[in-house]
Amino acid sequence: MNLQDSVGILAGIGPKKIAALATLGISTIQDLLLNFPFRYEDFASKSVYDLVDGEKAVLVGQVVTEPVVNYFGHKRNKLTFKIKQEDAVISVSFFNQPYLKDKVAANYETMIFGKWDDTRKALTGLKILGAKFQAGDFQGVYHTNKHVKQSELEKWVRQALDLGYSELFQEILPIDLLKRYRLMSYSQAVSALHLPNSEAEYHQAGRRMKYQELLLFQLQLQSIRYQDRQVDSGLTINYSNEAVAQLIAILPFSLTVAQNRVLEEILADLKSPFHMNRLLQGDVGSGKTVIAAIAMYASHTAGFQSALMVPTEILAIQHFESLKALFGNKIQIARLTSGMKAKEKQQILAKIADGQIQMVIGTHAIIQEAVSFSNLGLVITDEQHRFGVNQRKIFREKGQNPDVLMMTATPIPRTLAITVYGEMDVSIIDELPAGRKPIQTRWVKHQALPKVLSWLEVELNHGHQAYFISPLIEESEQLDLKNATELFEELSQFYTGKARVALLHGKMKNDEKEAIMQAFKAHQIDILVSTTVIEVGVNVPNATVMVIMDADRFGLAQLHQLRGRIGRGEAKSYAVLVANPKTKQGKERLTIMTEVSNGFVLAQKDLEMRGAGEVFGLKQSGLPEFLVADIVNDNNILETARQDAEKIWQIKNWQARTEFQGLFKSLNESKQSIFD
């Protein structure tokens, strides 16, 4: 027996079922047993008098009427019968499952799992539990698809456990940790997560597996941090203090206390012999870009090149123009994007390679194999969560292990940031520049849009500009949303002779997008209808209104990013969220947006409402897809795992310590799945 045995070794699994299980990512016995239930049902039988409306429960009673199937509509039917429990007679219904009629017989006792309707005093059946079923069982519910049934997964898991496969999971946690946290063994936890004897046993098994997953994750992060702390791991960038001070002195504004603090941290990293791997967090409009510019200039004064990678062409153009305006002709700066003409790109690549160009701003084109730097000292990624792990890894490997600064305006609560990005130092700009006026945010229904358009006329007459954001480019049959093209046509008609309206979206050619943005900046356009292509970094101080259509389709962080495109000038700014949300969560999200302006508070709310997977984007952020753990809800376990991982890495020659052998072996095996 081996955990790598094919699932085909189990009874009832032939070639077709092997292929079906593969669609769920299950090929081996290990895959099957590590495919844990995503929720559990408590099948303890209850008295009908103890039930509350909407509760799922097991009722045991005697069938007192013959089961009847009534057919209505196309392929629709309802099985009904009544059961008696004590002195209560309960109506039971099963929809579109006529075959269950054969499992119900009058005058016999039956056990039914269903959802209670207190108004009708009736049970909507979900499952008829067999005679062998033991009331009180706490059973798991698995993710399935059209190829694999729930009952099949349950059967095969039980079979694998009965054969003793769970005992083959070798313990990887040291005895000291098992005793300290009173954790059950690895093999016990695997078995109990599938077939717990009680809710308490399930919780203990989950606690064990969550800690194990998070400890391995933190050990990997700490190993990267440990390597970065080696004396010979980084560059020593001896920048000119005097030149940097002179640059700061000529800025048209004073840096905030928070900006000065994070700048000191970054500059100290540049001069140190250790490799810099720092995350710079800051709310929308907090002034991260100027910090990046100063860091790039510091690198330049020490004779090193620097590169800034951004997610969109529009943002690359904007940063390029900002740096050109700041440094003039003193520094050779180039823009490198995939949309450039071949001849122009070749000329820039040659100048980057021989060191003529000191600063490069671009999209993912910067990390292409053809790009070779002469003496790269600093790499910066803006909106780092937009880039995949491999993209960031390639960027880091350009040059001789350059210092790395990653920036994001999608804040993460500090404790979570330190834990999730455990291999990085975290700097936070937690204040906005002086003079930034708060943005007034309102939520209106679609019916109120005409009033919004009339009100906007007044704002346009004052010489201001506006954005209209739509979540779609063209019509979609699946979603009844106001698409950008239709919105552009409606607004053009409404404001005929009153305002100049333009359309911008991601499917346009780069030259078109650049021309439209330049026209908007020059106030040759009054209203810009766009998709979320303008979400990040676009800076037009004269734009004072942001109208977001179908706003309930966006997450809190994305809404905040969009809202951050306004409020950059002297005039008061307004964000209008247009939506008719159908869900409680959609309404709650829009209400929060009207009440909260702090990006870090919104980020916490977003995490709580949507979960880490959706907020970070598992594939994009580098977070592993944990089997059991959740970095938001299990934050306490995550923090404990981080502290333990730090202590383990502080032990000299810890690889040789016998109690850590299992952990180290498992860490090596998990590197591929976690980080690639």
Side-chain angles (χ1 to χ4, degrees), residues 213-250:
E213 284 191 286
L214 294 173
L215 180 62
L216 283 170
F217 176 52
Q218 288 298 323
L219 280 171
Q220 176 61 17
L221 294 181
Q222 290 302 320
S223 72
I224 297 171
R225 189 181 181 89
Y226 179 80
Q227 291 163 16
D228 285 343
R229 292 299 179 275
Q230 301 305 303
V231 176
D232 60 350
S233 69
L235 300 170
T236 300
I237 300 177
N238 285 309
Y239 63 86
S240 168
N241 288 319
E242 184 180 354
V244 170
Q246 288 174 352
L247 174 64
I248 295 171
I250 65 170

Side-chain angles (χ1 to χ4, degrees), residues 517-585:
M517 278 310 304
Q518 291 300 336
F520 189 59
K521 283 185 178 181
H523 202 170
Q524 295 165 5
I525 295 169
D526 300 302
I527 298 174
L528 183 62
V529 181
S530 175
T531 55
T532 54
V533 70
I534 61 98
E535 176 189 343
V536 177
V538 174
N539 185 19
V540 181
N542 193 52
T544 60
V545 178
M546 167 74 67
V547 181
I548 305 174
M549 305 300 295
D550 301 293
D552 55 320
R553 298 286 179 177
F554 299 97
L556 285 173
Q558 194 174 28
L559 286 172
H560 187 58
Q561 282 278 351
L562 288 166
R563 179 170 63 181
R565 297 310 108 221
I566 57 175
R568 292 170 172 259
E570 296 296 321
K572 186 170 179 59
S573 294
Y574 307 88
V576 182
L577 312 176
V578 183
N580 291 19
K582 294 180 175 62
T583 65
K584 181 181 176 182
Q585 191 182 68

Side-chain angles (χ1 to χ4, degrees), residues 16-28:
K16 286 186 178 179
K17 286 301 179 184
I18 288 176
L21 284 166
T23 64
L24 289 173
I26 299 172
S27 299
T28 66

Side-chain angles (χ1 to χ4, degrees), residues 59-108:
L59 289 182
V60 178
Q62 185 180 21
V63 179
V64 293
T65 64
E66 290 291 338
V68 177
V69 178
N70 291 309
Y71 292 88
F72 52 95
H74 180 62
K75 295 183 178 179
R76 298 177 67 190
N77 56 77
K78 182 169 72 169
L79 167 66
T80 56
F81 56 91
K82 292 182 179 180
I83 62 171
K84 184 177 182 181
Q85 186 192 76
E86 300 176 29
D87 58 348
V89 176
I90 306 140
S91 177
V92 180
S93 303
F94 281 89
F95 290 90
N96 303 318
Q97 299 177 74
Y99 50 85
L100 292 179
K101 181 181 179 182
D102 296 336
K103 294 188 176 183
V104 182
N107 301 319
Y108 283 86

Side-chain angles (χ1 to χ4, degrees), residues 36 63 93 99 149 183 200 213 302 321 405 442 464 566 616:
F36 298 118
V63 179
S93 303
Y99 50 85
K149 296 178 183 177
L183 301 174
E213 284 191 286
E321 291 175 348
L405 177 66
R442 290 287 179 267
H464 298 143
I566 57 175
F616 291 117

Side-chain angles (χ1 to χ4, degrees), residues 449-464:
L449 185 58
K451 290 183 180 179
V452 173
L453 299 183
S454 298
W455 162 81
L456 178 58
E457 260 190 73
V458 178
E459 196 68 13
L460 296 174
N461 289 337
H462 286 151
H464 298 143

Side-chain angles (χ1 to χ4, degrees), residues 145-282:
N145 58 26
K146 63 182 180 181
H147 306 294
V148 182
K149 296 178 183 177
Q150 185 77 213
S151 58
E152 291 177 318
L153 274 178
E154 289 175 8
K155 178 179 68 177
W156 294 325
V157 166
R158 283 179 182 272
Q159 193 181 144
L161 293 175
D162 289 343
L163 289 171
Y165 273 104
S166 65
E167 296 168 19
L168 300 181
F169 285 93
Q170 296 182 356
E171 187 57 67
I172 65 172
L173 293 181
I175 294 175
D176 174 59
L177 292 177
L178 291 172
K179 288 182 177 178
R180 185 190 309 170
Y181 300 123
R182 299 179 181 178
L183 301 174
M184 62 173 61
S185 71
Y186 192 3
S187 59
Q188 285 176 315
V190 169
S191 181
L193 278 174
H194 288 289
L195 299 174
N197 291 317
S198 64
E199 188 173 356
E201 186 180 53
Y202 146 69
H203 283 300
Q204 287 302 315
R207 195 169 69 92
R208 151 70 207 228
M209 290 300 296
K210 288 173 181 179
Y211 176 75
Q212 175 177 309
E213 284 191 286
L214 294 173
L215 180 62
L216 283 170
F217 176 52
Q218 288 298 323
L219 280 171
Q220 176 61 17
L221 294 181
Q222 290 302 320
S223 72
I224 297 171
R225 189 181 181 89
Y226 179 80
Q227 291 163 16
D228 285 343
R229 292 299 179 275
Q230 301 305 303
V231 176
D232 60 350
S233 69
L235 300 170
T236 300
I237 300 177
N238 285 309
Y239 63 86
S240 168
N241 288 319
E242 184 180 354
V244 170
Q246 288 174 352
L247 174 64
I248 295 171
I250 65 170
L251 292 174
F253 49 81
S254 298
L255 296 179
T256 63
V257 172
Q259 283 176 311
N260 276 311
R261 183 183 67 246
V262 302
L263 182 59
E264 286 179 13
E265 293 168 350
I266 292 166
L267 293 177
D269 280 353
L270 292 178
K271 274 203 172 175
S272 81
F274 304 111
H275 178 249
M276 175 167 77
N277 195 17
R278 186 171 289 276
L279 175 70
L280 173 58
Q281 287 198 90

